[in-house]
Amino acid sequence: MSATSPPTSRLTALLPDLGRRTLVMGILNVTPDSFSDGGRFEGVEAARRQADTLVAEGAQILDIGGESTRPGHVPISAEEEQARVLPVIAALAPHLAVPISIDTYKASTAEAALRAGAALVNDVWGLQREPEIARVAAAHGAPVIVMHNRETIDPSLDIVEDMKRFFARSLDIARRAGIPDADIVLDPGIGFGKSWDQHLEALRRLPEIRALGFPLLVGVSRKSLLGRLHDRETAPRDRLIGSISAHVLAGTLGADIVRVHDVAQHIEALHVLDAVMRPESARG
């Protein structure tokens, strides 16, 4: 009897280049109050144009969110969130050449978005705010992105050890719901629940999180962390060079996916990174 190959995970089926090159997730916020581009892509037509641009520039996955998670944001109801994202997902999914992830921590929004055509769930609370979201993802065979987060900032913490404990809880929730390990991505949550020094520490120690054995997603795009590294005040749109630098560093330290606003520029930079760090990608 000939040996059979192990089944392909849903994550690998959706992202066949995962692990071969550093993938780019394009950000599509359909919110009025996101910190960088709030209001620019509200409505189906504006969102469609931006989605087409991001994919044409090289995004391998599109992350759609309907609730801002910037510091000081005002939470919204699941109904309002769904009113923003569902028409966009339903309009994009049939013709989009890349998978859509729904950026939400709400189980009901994840359910509705997956039914509308999303393929992955990106949860900024790591399946812990509404654990039912894990069962929703499992029922749809949807991979999950599990992000580290904290309700409060505690500068005294060893933030990477805190991440490990947090991810252990998230992984337990995912496994009990029936999500296979092969369909889980970890995100250290740069910009969420950490002091400025802890953000830098999390980036510096990415290999320790990568050693847990899961693909890593890192998102630093345009965040205030980068603004503090300038000798002058900067608006989010002025942080492109810092964003690219942080993501190239993250790729060097083990990130498999970077979540960005500026896709074309990141694609160009990551081609160089991958040619050096993942030489098989240059031949692929």
Side-chain angles (χ1 to χ4, degrees):
M1 180 181 296
S2 61
T4 58
S5 300
T8 302
S9 73
R10 176 67 172 154
L11 181 63
T12 302
L14 290 169
L15 301 172
D17 283 336
L18 184 66
R20 293 185 61 248
R21 64 189 68 209
T22 311
L23 304 185
V24 171
M25 169 187 277
I27 299 169
L28 180 56
N29 290 318
V30 291
T31 61
D33 58 345
S34 291
F35 79 97
S36 176
D37 50 16
R40 292 188 62 209
F41 309 120
E42 283 188 281
V44 171
E45 288 310 311
R48 190 201 304 272
R49 288 192 297 271
Q50 178 65 0
D52 289 343
T53 296
L54 295 174
V55 173
E57 290 178 344
Q60 290 101 344
I61 181 172
L62 203 64
D63 193 46
I64 297 179
E67 177 177 355
S68 173
T69 52
R70 61 179 172 78
H73 76 282
V74 177
I76 62 173
S77 68
E79 291 76 17
E80 185 173 356
E81 182 183 35
Q82 291 166 33
R84 295 174 181 177
V85 300
L86 295 183
V88 173
I89 294 171
L92 293 179
H95 76 87
L96 205 63
V98 303
I100 293 170
S101 65
I102 175 63
D103 184 350
T104 188
Y105 58 86
K106 299 184 180 75
S108 62
T109 297
E111 171 73 39
L114 291 168
R115 289 184 180 276
L120 302 92
V121 174
N122 181 12
D123 185 349
V124 300
W125 282 102
L127 312 179
Q128 295 183 38
R129 180 61 64 86
E130 293 191 14
E132 177 64 22
I133 200 170
R135 287 187 283 274
V136 168
H140 287 269
V144 294
I145 300 164
V146 173
M147 197 192 83
H148 174 266
N149 209 336
R150 291 182 54 80
E151 293 279 3
T152 59
I153 296 172
D154 181 352
S156 70
L157 283 174
D158 181 325
I159 198 63
V160 174
E161 292 303 316
D162 189 71
M163 285 184 203
K164 292 176 183 177
R165 293 188 291 269
F166 180 95
F167 287 139
R169 295 191 296 272
S170 295
L171 291 169
D172 181 61
I173 292 169
R175 289 163 178 160
R176 285 190 284 108
I179 300 172
D181 282 9
D183 283 342
I184 298 172
V185 177
L186 302 183
D187 178 348
I190 306 300
F192 292 81
K194 301 169 185 66
S195 71
W196 188 72
D197 286 335
Q198 287 172 334
H199 293 315
L200 298 179
E201 184 75 4
L203 283 170
R204 188 179 301 120
R205 294 171 62 187
L206 278 179
E208 294 179 48
I209 302 302
R210 190 67 177 83
L212 298 176
F214 297 85
L216 284 188
L217 181 149
V218 172
V220 194
S221 186
R222 301 184 182 179
K223 289 184 176 176
S224 59
L225 161 71
L226 302 172
R228 286 192 59 181
L229 294 170
H230 290 276
D231 57 6
R232 56 185 173 81
E233 185 175 352
T234 61
R237 288 180 169 277
D238 297 329
R239 300 170 188 161
L240 172 61
I241 295 174
S243 299
I244 292 173
S245 299
H247 289 134
V248 168
L249 172 66
T252 304
L253 294 175
D256 298 282
I257 308 169
V258 294
R259 182 178 180 273
V260 312
H261 297 85
D262 305 286
V263 169
Q265 297 91 331
H266 276 86
I267 291 288
E268 185 173 347
L270 294 171
H271 279 327
V272 179
L273 167 70
D274 287 339
V276 176
M277 303 300 296
R278 306 181 196 241
E280 68 280 1
S281 71
R283 296 190 295 267

